[in-house]
Amino acid sequence: MTAKFNTTNPATGEVLKEFPTASDEEISAVIDASDAAFQTWRTTDVRERSSPLARAADLMDERRWDLAELLTLEMGKLRAEAEAEVELAARILRYYSEEGPLLLSDEVLAPSSGGSAVMKYEPIGPILGVMPWNFPYYQVVRLAAPNLVAGNTIILKHASNCPQSALAFEQVMNDAQLPSDCYRNVFADNDQIQTIIADERVRGASLTGSEGAGAAVAGAAGHNLKKSILELGGSDPFIVLDSADLDATVTAAVKGRMTNSGQSCIASKRLIVLEEHYREFVDLLTAKMSQFVAGDPRDSATTMAPLSSEQAAQDLMEQVQDAIDHGAEVHTGGHRVDRPGAFVEPTVLTGVTEQMRAYSEELFGPVAVVYSVADEDEAVALANDSSFGLGGTVVSDDIEKAQRVADRIDTGMVWINQATWTEPDLPFGGTKRSGVGRELGAEGIREFVNKKLIRTP
Ligand code: NDP
């Protein structure tokens, strides 16, 4: 039987490397070490805490080729996208190295009854991160960079299908001379995750992944009276109100839907188009989605990578088939690609109704659903008719109109005239079933801190 932690090339299905799950004794030793490291790290000057991150950023830049290669090997990411992820992770490390101390500066309050008060942001202890495979460096850095500057230590449990990326990132942190044990990777199973969360010394947990995994981690954290941050799924609307350049708008929608082969929580999954543009939009979208070339993700001619695993491809095909069985129209795609590996054709569906799984479930792959709506109100109602609330896009040549519509969308983030994405200094996170809390930005760096009030008469 293949070990739980393994590298399986999704472009071929070949198991390349296996890693043993940690023993309970090893997990216990990691918690001891992380807590011991915290006792020194918490009192280390914040400027000193930030400098290893700058070195880590430089190392990621230097090792970009090798780090990207691992992403392509383990989860099938296109080479260019893999290199872009390494660059993004380096940018985040650099940003928190430079700006993190400022974001943690004391905040002076002005009590209405006189005197003075100050709010300090103090570290709280080891934090557990449970991370997914879709952006193996970015997701980790998003948690680790702000928290290390804040003075917390990190115990990182990565997805079982990207163990080499997990180890490569730990190596970067060690080589950047982060003091030992401030960042530890663990190959833990679900029971051991519960044990880590239950340990009194571990002060919080952050998970990015599915609702089920989020509920397991947040449940354990809640049971142990600890904070958790969750970044779960999404079914982001991409609303087209009007566009003088519909071709460019469709190109943006395709990018929003197809980045990372569609395996992104913030992908533009529901394309909601006002009826006067609908026909042309569907035609342009179908043409652009038909142009992808499936192949080896290491080959620069390939524009369509496999999904992360055979299971992921099968799950997505079940959702597509369910829509087809219930009467959805397929404009392009709708099948597996005729070659070995976890490939699914880029697919455009219309006529999706509430009875179909594709209406309410997240489609984690290259499948776009397009809806026609009569007006702005109908667009907003459809966008909000989802249990998710992560990101979204509003397209209009009238920016004020787009901003007004953005105000009515029930999500954590709305981007105007571009697909939702991420930037090192902007808060990231959702509402409804898409998650709890924020990562990145001032909000993110202040999630796992003791906001300590000092009141002076
Ligand atoms: P999972 O949620 O299963 O995996 C994410 C992480 O959670 C992994 O490290 C996984 O560990 C861990 N995990 C899973 N179950 C538990 C549990 N009970 N207790 C503690 N940790 C757990 O995602 P999948 O890979 O199965 O993907 C399924 C779906 O999740 C996708 O189709 C998508 O909808 C959503 N997803 C969303 C992501 C996002 O960016 N928001 C990212 C990935 C997935 P292990 O790998 O060892 O099982």
Side-chain angles (χ1 to χ4, degrees):
M1 205 177 97
T2 310
K4 173 180 168 68
F5 289 90
N6 67 78
T7 298
T8 300
N9 183 348
T12 62
E14 195 186 349
V15 180
L16 299 170
K17 212 162 178 177
E18 300 179 58
F19 296 82
T21 300
S23 66
D24 291 349
E25 292 70 29
E26 283 165 335
I27 296 291
S28 175
V30 167
I31 301 172
D32 290 349
S34 186
D35 181 57
F38 172 67
Q39 300 311 330
T40 308
W41 192 237
R42 68 187 301 179
T43 58
T44 304
D45 182 75
V46 67
R47 296 251 154 231
E48 214 178 303
R49 290 200 301 246
S50 70
S51 52
L53 298 193
R55 290 194 289 273
D58 291 344
L59 287 174
M60 291 203 83
D61 285 342
E62 277 168 32
R63 298 177 189 176
R64 187 169 68 192
W65 200 93
D66 291 335
L67 291 169
E69 180 74 359
L70 287 177
L71 299 184
T72 302
L73 196 69
E74 295 202 297
M75 52 76 62
K77 203 180 289 264
L78 292 176
R79 259 320 288 216
E81 290 188 345
E83 290 193 28
E85 181 181 338
V86 177
E87 265 176 58
L88 174 62
R91 274 208 293 140
I92 293 173
L93 285 162
R94 208 164 271 123
Y95 175 78
Y96 287 93
S97 176
E98 287 165 7
E99 302 299 331
L102 203 66
L103 298 173
L104 295 161
S105 308
D106 294 352
E107 195 178 332
V108 177
L109 307 175
S112 55
S113 54
S116 67
V118 66
M119 182 81 87
K120 292 178 172 266
Y121 300 108
E122 297 192 341
I124 56 173
I127 304 296
L128 172 69
V130 181
M131 293 295 151
W133 41 263
N134 57 345
F135 293 92
Y137 302 131
Y138 160 74
Q139 309 275 23
V140 170
V141 158
R142 208 169 60 172
L143 174 75
N147 274 290
L148 287 168
V149 179
N152 296 320
T153 54
I154 299 289
I155 299 174
L156 204 291
K157 151 67 184 68
H158 220 316
S160 46
N161 56 344
C162 55
Q164 295 195 62
S165 311
L167 291 174
F169 183 76
E170 187 183 45
Q171 193 62 49
V172 165
M173 297 313 267
N174 289 338
D175 292 349
Q177 291 149 29
L178 185 72
S180 25
D181 303 319
C182 283
Y183 180 94
R184 287 292 297 268
N185 181 73
V186 285
F187 290 143
D189 64 23
N190 291 352
D191 289 342
Q192 291 168 332
I193 290 174
Q194 296 281 327
T195 304
I196 296 170
I197 295 172
D199 192 288
E200 194 54 39
R201 294 164 294 177
V202 175
R203 296 313 309 155
S206 175
L207 176 134
T208 298
S210 63
E211 292 184 37
V217 164
H223 183 73
N224 288 284
L225 306 178
K226 291 173 191 178
K227 182 167 182 174
S228 60
I229 298 296
L230 302 177
E231 205 273 272
L232 308 175
S235 190
D236 288 3
F238 184 104
I239 301 174
V240 182
L241 299 174
D242 59 77
S243 170
D245 188 349
L246 202 60
D247 191 77
T249 296
V250 174
T251 298
V254 169
K255 185 159 188 280
R257 178 60 282 204
M258 293 298 286
T259 294
N260 214 30
S261 287
Q263 304 166 108
S264 165
C265 49
I266 48 169
S268 309
K269 294 174 186 131
R270 295 179 298 142
L271 311 178
I272 300 172
V273 185
L274 255 66
E275 60 194 9
E276 55 264 40
H277 303 294
Y278 176 75
R279 271 286 135 225
E280 194 185 349
F281 186 96
V282 171
D283 289 346
L284 285 167
L285 181 71
T286 302
K288 288 182 194 289
M289 291 285 274
S290 310
Q291 280 165 11
F292 282 87
V293 180
D296 181 342
R298 279 183 288 189
D299 182 343
S300 61
T302 300
T303 53
M304 174 73 217
L307 297 194
S308 63
S309 68
E310 177 55 30
Q311 189 59 50
Q314 288 178 16
D315 291 349
L316 182 66
M317 281 312 300
E318 277 180 23
Q319 291 169 306
V320 170
Q321 197 54 51
D322 170 80
I324 295 170
D325 291 347
H326 288 86
E329 188 180 343
V330 182
H331 294 260
T332 184
H335 303 99
R336 296 291 297 268
V337 177
D338 186 17
R339 57 171 291 143
F343 291 90
V344 171
E345 289 178 346
T347 299
V348 176
L349 298 176
T350 60
V352 168
T353 62
E354 285 171 46
Q355 287 69 42
M356 304 173 193
R357 292 176 57 191
Y359 184 86
S360 51
E361 294 180 9
E362 180 175 32
L363 299 175
F364 220 59
V367 179
V369 178
V370 199
Y371 299 92
S372 170
V373 289
D375 55 28
E376 199 176 294
D377 288 345
E378 209 180 297
V380 170
L382 181 56
N384 291 340
D385 188 20
S386 171
S387 60
F388 297 107
L390 191 54
T393 293
V394 180
V395 176
S396 173
D397 295 327
D398 178 345
I399 297 291
E400 281 179 19
K401 180 162 93 176
Q403 287 168 337
R404 271 200 318 274
V405 171
D407 286 346
R408 300 171 64 195
I409 307 298
D410 286 338
T411 61
M413 305 168 282
V414 183
W415 288 49
I416 309 285
N417 289 342
Q418 54 189 320
T420 305
W421 193 234
T422 180
E423 291 176 24
D425 52 339
L426 296 182
F428 187 103
T431 186
K432 300 202 275 187
R433 292 182 78 88
S434 287
V436 178
R438 290 291 178 272
E439 293 186 281
L440 302 177
E443 289 76 7
I445 204 169
R446 295 175 191 164
E447 288 284 14
F448 291 112
V449 291
N450 175 23
K451 298 180 176 111
K452 189 158 106 188
L453 176 76
I454 308 230
R455 176 78 162 102
T456 308

